[in-house]
Amino acid sequence: MADREITIYDIAEKLDISAATVSRALQDHPAVNKKTKKRINDLAEELGYRSNKFASNLRTQKTNTLGVIVPRLNSLFMSSVIAGIEKVANSAGYNLIISQSLEQECREKANAVTMFNNRVDGLIVSLASNTEDFSHFDSFLKKQIPLIFFDRVAESIHATKVLIDNQKAGYIATKHLIEQGCQHIVHITGNVLRNVYRDRLEGYKNALAEAGFSFDEDMVMSNDLSELAIQESIETLLKRKRLPDALFISNDASAAFALSILKEKGLRVPEDMAIVGFNNDMISRVTEPAITTINYPGAEMGESIARILINHLNNDGDLSVTSKVILDTALVERGSSLRKK
Amino acid sequence: MADREITIYDIAEKLDISAATVSRALQDHPAVNKKTKKRINDLAEELGYRSNKFASNLRTQKTNTLGVIVPRLNSLFMSSVIAGIEKVANSAGYNLIISQSLEQECREKANAVTMFNNRVDGLIVSLASNTEDFSHFDSFLKKQIPLIFFDRVAESIHATKVLIDNQKAGYIATKHLIEQGCQHIVHITGNVLRNVYRDRLEGYKNALAEAGFSFDEDMVMSNDLSELAIQESIETLLKRKRLPDALFISNDASAAFALSILKEKGLRVPEDMAIVGFNNDMISRVTEPAITTINYPGAEMGESIARILINHLNNDGDLSVTSKVILDTALVERGSSLRKK
DNA sequence: ATGAAAGCGCTAACAC
DNA sequence: GTGTTAGCGCTTTCAT
């Protein structure tokens, strides 16, 4: 059985040279004779040698591995981001270890420990919705392991952040509804502890203020954006004496779901109720009417993140340049909000 | 700077015990005195000790890491599967290294090599659409590294496979359309080199045959299921003298897209053209009309895969039990195909 | 240009 | 219940 792993010692022995030379040759070290190099590489190939990463990592203390912690894997936005990260990382010879917090702070903490123990060269994080304590990232900071947050970022941590201008996006979305003649705009969003939701809410308020509308607490519904929560929110709204005439909902899947409920209840969209979503997922394009939304370039964001991190890792030194990268977004106007022709 | 890593030797020295005991205590080995254990764990905590996985892996020749290679990360089905795998794997203490082939055989091969060199304990694969040569999996088979295929499987390889009965699903979908009175059913699908598409086509043919319909090559369109391809297919169909009265499309996103094109062109669904999709993605529920589809339990599939693989890894030995696991599917009837009341 | 030798930090068989 | 010891396979000074 050819079950035993070939090591550099096997090669060294067969060629009657030292393991050190084999090691050097395999790394294309300049100080090794070309002919020797060739003999070594040929034999390695022939024997089916493969480098033992652990031994190598143990020596060099590098892993060529990036860690990724996200709230959930199964959303189109997240998987696009990850696809983007993977594409760039893979090309640069880095592996990805991926885990999800399932929106639980405790899982996020556990995952961070795992990543740390796995000695990832860098860590990429989007926070769970309710994470309040960030001490699980201290170990990375202390060890100067590059840390990048995206989308849902930890503002208080000194680390690179890649995100969009959520406040602006919230403002644009709301302003658009106002321009379409909506007067009672409800904002359904996630946990405002998180920057993404807080900032969108801020933008919403700004747009209202600018238009001279007063802000009403009751017009903001903050929940976990699950189908159940959306259903309840809509039902609550429809029981009010004064119906809102527009919904600005913080993700497209929820917006699409809300749309289907409204239609079921016999309301017309956008005539009775205009809708604006968020993300520009595929889903926003196929509903009837299609949903006006904010474009959120996931794949692009993923690629940016990986590029920044890997650059960092290569030119190791300028760890001080922890920056904030803001990606562009724009309103995508569709039928769900267009009341004027 | 507290930059140096703490090792079990540091702990051993401070506590004046041996490194072996520290190692045992840290693994909660039963043969260590409870008090000693506590002292060790407390000190480890205090010093910020973290296990060095490389050293440990180097010793044990295990990595506690599973490799995953999929065609694309950014589809809801795939990300659900991965979410399922991650959930189970994480709970069992396994990490995931994930990569995507982007539907390219060469990338798939490169990823397989990476996985092999990273010494994953097991590999989970769904094939790229055009992979014809499977030699990149030989190294895993030879080394007895458990290999599991799911969804798009390599039939010729002796490995565990987790999938649904695509033939049955294709049959059910087609039969449903026939029962709804459709007579000219077009099947739009992916590369029939892959089992998933080939089997669905087979089921389609069986249902036609059973109903006494003759099979017509022109009624099957095999392409990459991209938006462009769908658009072209629909346009081609609409130019025919004899319009089909139903479309059975191999994924929901494509079906939803086809639906929007048809509506744009002024056709009524399901009256002029009935539609059945595949996967039961969220998207199939929010279109107007909602799309009849085949339920494909992604998260569940992911969990099954991880469980099977990890069981395998734990009771190492019964590698011979490479089985075929068929998950249940069912037709989900919705408006896009219901012509009879 | 090549070799000898010392570890990287951990585990596990064996001994007590 | 705890300690001794010998590596796991690689890299890297330091010699030569």
Side-chain angles (χ1 to χ4, degrees):
Chain A
M1 193 75 213
D3 218 28
R4 216 181 64 75
E5 286 284 340
I6 305 295
T7 73
I8 52 172
Y9 288 103
D10 298 322
I11 298 178
E13 196 178 349
K14 295 221 185 195
L15 257 30
D16 202 26
I17 52 179
S18 79
T21 304
V22 176
S23 173
R24 290 192 192 101
L26 259 14
Q27 291 171 85
D28 209 21
H29 188 111
V32 178
N33 186 300
K34 290 234 166 113
K35 283 186 189 164
T36 324
K37 237 181 231 176
K38 175 140 176 47
R39 282 169 59 218
I40 293 172
N41 279 306
D42 287 352
L43 184 60
E45 173 91 11
E46 186 192 324
L47 296 179
Y49 166 81
R50 60 169 173 165
S51 148
N52 185 319
K53 290 240 176 194
F54 313 141
S56 160
N57 287 342
L58 179 59
R59 254 329 287 239
T60 59
Q61 308 286 19
K62 264 207 84 192
T63 61
N64 267 15
T65 297
L66 306 181
V68 181
I69 303 177
V70 297
R72 308 204 93 93
L73 251 13
N74 56 350
S75 86
L76 199 61
F77 168 68
M78 267 310 162
S79 49
S80 302
V81 173
I82 290 178
I85 295 175
E86 198 277 341
K87 193 171 150 204
V88 173
N90 195 322
S91 299
Y94 280 85
N95 290 119
L96 246 44
I97 298 191
I98 298 177
S99 68
Q100 51 186 345
S101 61
L102 298 175
E103 303 285 13
Q104 292 163 35
E105 180 164 359
C106 61
R107 268 189 102 116
E108 184 177 295
K109 282 183 184 297
N111 291 342
V113 172
T114 308
M115 294 296 177
F116 190 66
N117 286 341
N118 271 284
R119 288 182 161 62
V120 293
D121 289 344
L123 183 66
I124 298 168
V125 182
S126 184
L127 293 168
S129 67
N130 65 340
T131 301
E132 297 201 47
D133 171 63
F134 302 129
S135 58
H136 44 307
F137 300 117
D138 289 350
S139 42
F140 292 88
L141 297 171
K142 200 150 65 178
K143 271 249 168 312
Q144 310 244 57
I145 299 167
L147 185 57
I148 297 198
F149 288 93
F150 73 94
D151 190 48
R152 302 189 189 168
V153 308
E155 281 129 323
S156 60
I157 294 187
H158 182 68
T160 298
K161 289 148 199 162
V162 180
L163 65 176
I164 57 166
D165 186 338
N166 284 288
Q167 189 173 329
K168 184 172 143 206
Y171 169 82
I172 292 174
T174 311
K175 185 172 177 186
H176 165 75
L177 286 167
I178 294 170
E179 284 170 357
Q180 294 295 317
C182 302
Q183 311 234 21
H184 294 90
I185 304 169
V186 163
H187 180 33
I188 302 181
T189 194
N191 189 339
V192 293
L193 180 63
R194 282 285 81 81
N195 62 305
V196 289
Y197 303 119
R198 179 170 22 72
D199 291 354
R200 288 171 201 176
L201 174 58
E202 208 52 45
Y204 161 85
K205 288 182 185 173
N206 292 348
L208 291 188
E210 191 186 82
F213 295 169
S214 65
F215 169 69
D216 179 354
E217 281 283 352
D218 289 344
M219 302 298 266
V220 175
M221 317 187 89
S222 164
N223 56 47
D224 65 2
L225 296 172
S226 65
E227 297 201 351
L228 185 62
I230 296 297
Q231 176 118 34
E232 288 174 355
S233 303
I234 302 282
E235 275 163 12
T236 306
L237 286 174
L238 296 184
K239 280 193 198 117
R240 292 196 183 159
K241 55 235 155 273
R242 166 135 224 176
L243 285 190
D245 54 12
L247 303 176
F248 167 33
I249 305 181
S250 257
N251 79 53
D252 282 338
S254 301
F257 190 63
L259 171 61
S260 67
I261 297 175
L262 291 177
K263 289 200 295 187
E264 212 171 84
K265 305 260 183 197
L267 279 86
R268 291 167 309 159
V269 175
E271 294 81 358
D272 300 326
M273 187 106 62
I275 295 182
V276 172
F278 211 105
N279 282 4
N280 197 15
D281 275 357
M282 168 77 166
I283 203 170
S284 63
R285 292 160 46 203
V286 299
T287 53
E288 168 96 9
I291 297 174
T292 295
T293 189
I294 299 287
N295 185 47
Y296 197 152
E300 200 186 302
M301 179 171 276
E303 293 178 28
S304 287
I305 295 166
R307 248 190 305 268
I308 292 169
L309 183 50
I310 290 170
N311 275 344
H312 216 157
L313 253 18
N314 293 344
N315 330 330
D316 51 359
D318 57 353
L319 254 160
S320 53
V321 221
T322 49
S323 51
K324 199 163 187 170
V325 178
I326 311 286
L327 264 56
D328 248 13
T329 54
L331 183 75
V332 182
E333 298 187 12
R334 302 213 182 92
S336 73
S337 68
L338 295 177
R339 303 169 129 206
K340 300 188 169 170
K341 299 298 141 177
Chain B
M1 191 76 214
D3 219 28
R4 214 182 64 76
E5 287 285 341
I6 305 295
T7 73
I8 53 172
Y9 288 103
D10 298 324
I11 297 177
E13 196 179 348
K14 295 221 183 194
L15 257 31
D16 202 25
I17 51 179
S18 79
T21 303
V22 177
S23 173
R24 289 190 194 102
L26 260 13
Q27 291 171 84
D28 207 21
H29 188 112
V32 178
N33 187 301
K34 289 233 164 114
K35 282 186 190 163
T36 324
K37 240 183 230 177
K38 176 139 177 45
R39 281 170 59 219
I40 292 173
N41 279 305
D42 287 352
L43 184 60
E45 173 92 11
E46 185 192 325
L47 296 179
Y49 165 82
R50 61 169 171 165
S51 147
N52 185 320
K53 288 249 174 189
F54 312 141
S56 160
N57 287 343
L58 180 58
R59 217 21 256 247
T60 58
Q61 306 286 22
K62 268 205 82 193
T63 59
N64 269 11
T65 297
L66 306 180
V68 181
I69 303 178
V70 296
R72 310 204 92 92
L73 252 13
N74 56 348
S75 86
L76 199 63
F77 168 68
M78 268 310 162
S79 49
S80 303
V81 173
I82 290 177
I85 296 174
E86 199 276 342
K87 192 172 152 205
V88 173
N90 195 322
S91 299
Y94 281 84
N95 290 120
L96 247 41
I97 298 190
I98 299 177
S99 68
Q100 52 186 345
S101 61
L102 298 175
E103 303 285 12
Q104 292 163 35
E105 180 164 357
C106 60
R107 268 189 102 116
E108 184 177 295
K109 282 182 184 299
N111 291 342
V113 172
T114 308
M115 294 296 176
F116 190 66
N117 287 340
N118 271 285
R119 286 175 161 68
V120 293
D121 289 344
L123 183 65
I124 299 168
V125 181
S126 184
L127 294 168
S129 68
N130 65 340
T131 301
E132 297 202 48
D133 171 63
F134 302 127
S135 59
H136 44 305
F137 300 117
D138 289 351
S139 42
F140 292 89
L141 297 171
K142 200 149 69 179
K143 273 249 170 310
Q144 311 245 57
I145 299 167
L147 185 58
I148 297 199
F149 288 93
F150 73 95
D151 190 49
R152 301 188 188 170
V153 307
E155 281 130 323
S156 60
I157 294 186
H158 182 68
T160 298
K161 288 147 200 162
V162 180
L163 65 177
I164 58 165
D165 187 338
N166 285 286
Q167 189 173 328
K168 184 173 144 207
Y171 169 83
I172 291 174
T174 311
K175 185 171 179 187
H176 165 74
L177 286 168
I178 294 170
E179 286 170 356
Q180 294 296 317
C182 301
Q183 310 234 19
H184 294 89
I185 305 169
V186 163
H187 180 33
I188 302 181
T189 194
N191 188 340
V192 292
L193 179 64
R194 282 285 80 82
N195 63 304
V196 287
Y197 303 119
R198 181 172 18 75
D199 291 354
R200 288 171 201 175
L201 174 57
E202 208 52 46
Y204 162 84
K205 287 182 185 173
N206 292 348
L208 291 188
E210 190 186 83
F213 294 170
S214 65
F215 169 68
D216 179 354
E217 281 284 352
D218 290 344
M219 302 298 268
V220 176
M221 318 187 89
S222 164
N223 55 49
D224 65 1
L225 296 173
S226 65
E227 296 202 350
L228 185 62
I230 297 297
Q231 177 119 33
E232 288 174 355
S233 302
I234 303 281
E235 274 162 13
T236 306
L237 287 174
L238 295 184
K239 281 194 196 114
R240 292 195 182 159
K241 54 232 158 274
R242 166 136 223 176
L243 285 190
D245 54 12
L247 303 176
F248 167 32
I249 304 181
S250 257
N251 79 53
D252 282 337
S254 301
F257 190 63
L259 171 61
S260 68
I261 297 175
L262 291 177
K263 289 200 295 187
E264 212 171 85
K265 305 261 184 195
L267 279 87
R268 292 166 308 159
V269 174
E271 295 81 357
D272 300 325
M273 188 104 62
I275 294 182
V276 173
F278 211 104
N279 282 4
N280 197 15
D281 275 357
M282 167 76 166
I283 203 171
S284 63
R285 292 160 48 204
V286 299
T287 53
E288 168 94 11
I291 297 173
T292 295
T293 189
I294 300 288
N295 185 48
Y296 198 152
E300 199 186 301
M301 179 171 276
E303 293 178 28
S304 286
I305 295 165
R307 247 190 305 269
I308 291 169
L309 184 50
I310 291 170
N311 274 345
H312 216 158
L313 254 19
N314 292 345
N315 329 329
D316 52 356
D318 58 354
L319 254 158
S320 53
V321 223
T322 49
S323 52
K324 200 163 187 169
V325 179
I326 310 287
L327 264 56
D328 247 13
T329 55
L331 184 75
V332 182
E333 298 187 14
R334 301 212 183 93
S336 73
S337 68
L338 296 177
R339 304 169 128 205
K340 301 188 169 170
K341 300 298 140 176

